[in-house]
Amino acid sequence: MNVSKLMGWATAVLLTGITTYTAVPNVLGEEAKQTAAWNLSQEDQDLINVTNGDIMGERCKDGAWEFHLYTTDGYQEMANGELVYVFGYTHAKGSFKNVGEVTTKEQVEQLLEPVRVPSDPIHLFVGEKARITLHNTGMHCTNANSGLNHVAHTIHFHGLDLTPAIDGVPSLPVDPVLEHKSFTYELTPQYEGSFMGHCHVDSFNHILAGMYFPIIIHQDRTKTAYGYKYDRDYTLFFSELSSTANEQLQESGVVHGLQDWKADYFLINGRTFTDNLYHPRSVINDPRSRIVAYEDETVLLRFMAIGADHVFAIHPHGYHMEVVALDGRKLKSSYEKDTLCIASGERIDVLVKIPHFASQRKCLSCNLGAGITIMHDHNLRGMVSTGKYPLGALTIFDVKSREKVAQPEVPVKGKPYNPLEH
Ligand SMILES: [Cu+2]
């Protein structure tokens, strides 16, 4: 069974009932029907269920999961319309398959997904071997004389406590992956939890330019984490980005006055909130970042952060969070917080129990409508991007009731999803 091929359909199933601006009328309903007709094996259904339909690696005959990551550069569109130069990891279109060595801009565009920051999560399983091959395609959007051309990259598996030989710190003792070369990292996860991968070459510049992604390690094919059951889970990657520094890397390969490096974007999963609630690039219109849940459910939130010096203070309105794990290890006893600081490199896993009637509750401070409450960075620097508030790290809880009259599954054609009418 080609699992990765099914993931697009699975995503449609998961999104059914979650109407967003980007939903295309009738498509989700039709895809859901087709998926039901496909009659997936129980094993595939369980896998899709626990990985939220994210693209998966290929399962090899020896049982190992195989991923092929490609480094390249490109532009990330922000909610304010700016195209920010970034470089990072990507993969083949629609899969993590091997498409051979990619060396030209034409091949990058033809064979690979556009680079995104952070790049797509990698899902692994405890005790199941993974082979992750990194291919360095080179830079394709830089100036001809930029010092960024021809640079090497690695993957550091942050928090996996691996032996240095396969942990992506350059030349300890393995050389980094040079332009047009590849290297395969082989590992077998021992602990479940939330981790991240990032480059470890010229770390300040490469990481902050966009070279990072979540690594989620599951204990098994059930919706449990650290022994706790949950109904839904979201991975929220908080990060900061400097379009000025990235431009300087693109042009010359050197950031001038690095001691004064300053973010002009504060992001959740690569996006800022914007006062235009319908903007398709806003955090709240990203199915991975808008926290949709039903009353009485338990939601697992996997927070992770990367940046130069900003500490995000995550604060949801209307809910306390039960902190169950720090940095990929279960706490001996959990504790509750409504404002949770997370610094670069940290991962914090929390459970949010959605109370009954939460779909009727209105947040008086944001007043976005019944069932909708915001969660934002309370270090308010992180709520200002390109000098404007509230363009920053903010998302929403969007809580529904199973008892309410069913809402239409798709928006009326031509009319964007409007949380105010929720
Ligand atoms: Cu790198």
Side-chain angles (χ1 to χ4, degrees):
M1 176 64 71
N2 184 346
V3 172
S4 63
K5 187 182 169 189
L6 299 174
M7 293 310 166
W9 301 107
T11 305
V13 175
L14 289 166
L15 293 180
T16 302
I18 303 171
T19 46
T20 71
Y21 177 89
T22 51
V24 180
N26 299 323
V27 170
L28 295 183
E30 288 306 309
E31 287 186 351
K33 279 183 211 159
Q34 287 183 40
T35 306
W38 279 29
N39 198 16
L40 298 179
S41 72
Q42 188 61 46
E43 190 185 345
D44 286 336
Q45 282 180 21
D46 292 345
L47 192 60
I48 289 167
N49 200 28
V50 80
T51 58
N52 289 333
D54 284 343
I55 293 172
M56 287 292 296
E58 300 289 310
R59 197 84 196 264
C60 301
K61 283 182 182 164
D62 66 355
W65 292 96
E66 196 170 292
F67 297 82
H68 289 266
L69 269 60
Y70 290 80
T71 62
T72 187
D73 58 351
Y75 296 88
Q76 180 125 326
E77 185 187 350
M78 298 298 171
N80 61 0
E82 189 180 352
L83 293 174
V84 178
Y85 175 76
V86 295
F87 55 92
Y89 306 92
T90 186
H91 53 76
K93 287 191 171 159
S95 80
F96 279 103
K97 282 183 182 165
N98 184 7
V99 290
E101 296 312 315
V102 174
T103 58
T104 66
K105 189 173 186 179
E106 290 69 32
Q107 288 174 321
V108 167
E109 288 170 357
Q110 189 189 351
L111 298 170
L112 305 179
E113 297 280 1
V115 68
R116 274 198 303 255
V117 177
S119 49
D120 281 343
I122 281 189
H123 292 267
L124 303 175
F125 292 87
V126 170
E128 297 180 20
K129 187 186 283 185
R131 283 190 287 270
I132 301 163
T133 302
L134 180 64
H135 306 255
N136 183 342
T137 80
M139 298 297 183
H140 306 282
C141 304
T142 43
N143 280 0
N145 296 320
S146 171
L148 198 60
N149 295 327
H150 320 301
V151 291
H153 301 293
T154 62
I155 303 172
H156 169 60
F157 296 89
H158 183 96
L160 265 61
D161 302 340
L162 302 175
T163 176
I166 50 149
D167 208 19
V169 180
S171 305
L172 281 179
V174 177
D175 286 342
V177 184
L178 300 172
E179 187 184 32
H180 304 164
K181 301 289 183 196
S182 63
F183 178 79
T184 300
Y185 302 88
E186 191 166 308
L187 57 102
T188 304
Q190 298 179 61
Y191 293 91
E192 67 171 313
S194 305
F195 302 91
M196 65 174 81
H198 65 74
C199 183
H200 227 311
V201 175
D202 189 9
S203 305
F204 191 101
N205 290 316
H206 286 214
I207 294 174
L208 294 178
M211 301 199 76
Y212 49 90
F213 59 91
I215 298 174
I216 310 295
I217 301 178
H218 304 274
Q219 184 65 44
D220 52 32
R221 266 60 160 179
T222 62
K223 282 184 176 289
T224 58
Y226 315 100
Y228 296 96
K229 284 187 180 171
Y230 60 85
D231 299 293
R232 295 169 196 277
D233 65 303
Y234 291 87
T235 299
L236 301 177
F237 209 134
F238 291 74
S239 64
E240 45 180 338
L241 191 67
S242 165
S243 62
T244 311
N246 283 14
E247 255 175 46
Q248 291 179 359
L249 288 172
Q250 178 185 23
E251 286 168 9
S252 69
V254 177
V255 178
H256 310 289
L258 202 54
Q259 74 278 8
D260 298 323
W261 190 98
K262 199 174 166 195
D264 55 356
Y265 285 97
F266 295 90
L267 307 169
I268 297 177
N269 290 340
R271 293 161 177 251
T272 68
F273 179 70
T274 171
D275 47 4
N276 176 358
L277 299 178
Y278 317 128
H279 198 291
R281 290 295 307 164
S282 171
V283 179
I284 66 170
N285 292 318
D286 172 19
R288 277 184 175 157
S289 312
R290 181 193 189 99
I291 304 163
V292 177
Y294 285 96
E295 290 172 339
D296 306 317
E297 287 188 335
T298 300
V299 179
L300 168 68
L301 301 178
R302 300 176 186 272
F303 298 130
M304 37 191 82
I306 216 154
D309 54 14
H310 185 72
V311 175
F312 292 87
I314 304 167
H315 173 60
H317 291 194
Y319 303 98
H320 266 66
M321 307 174 283
E322 183 185 1
V323 182
V324 295
L326 298 178
D327 294 343
R329 292 293 187 277
K330 180 180 182 174
L331 291 173
K332 289 188 170 60
S333 55
S334 62
Y335 60 93
E336 288 184 282
K337 287 283 285 175
D338 68 13
T339 306
L340 190 57
C341 288
I342 184 166
S344 182
E346 288 188 305
R347 290 90 56 218
I348 306 179
D349 295 320
V350 306
L351 297 175
V352 179
K353 297 199 168 71
I354 308 292
H356 207 57
F357 303 118
S359 73
Q360 306 300 316
R361 195 166 62 182
K362 291 188 179 181
C363 170
L364 294 179
S365 55
C366 59
N367 202 23
L368 287 173
I372 293 186
T373 52
I374 61 171
M375 180 166 70
H376 67 94
D377 185 3
H378 217 292
N379 272 343
L380 295 168
R381 166 74 56 209
M383 286 302 302
V384 174
S385 296
T386 61
K388 296 186 188 72
Y389 176 90
L391 270 67
L394 180 152
T395 188
I396 55 173
F397 283 82
D398 181 358
V399 173
K400 300 163 187 297
S401 168
R402 293 191 189 278
E403 293 163 15
K404 269 168 54 177
V405 177
Q407 298 290 312
E409 289 188 350
V410 292
V412 177
K413 192 172 184 184
K415 186 183 174 199
Y417 176 74
N418 182 356
L420 296 171
E421 294 173 3
H422 180 81

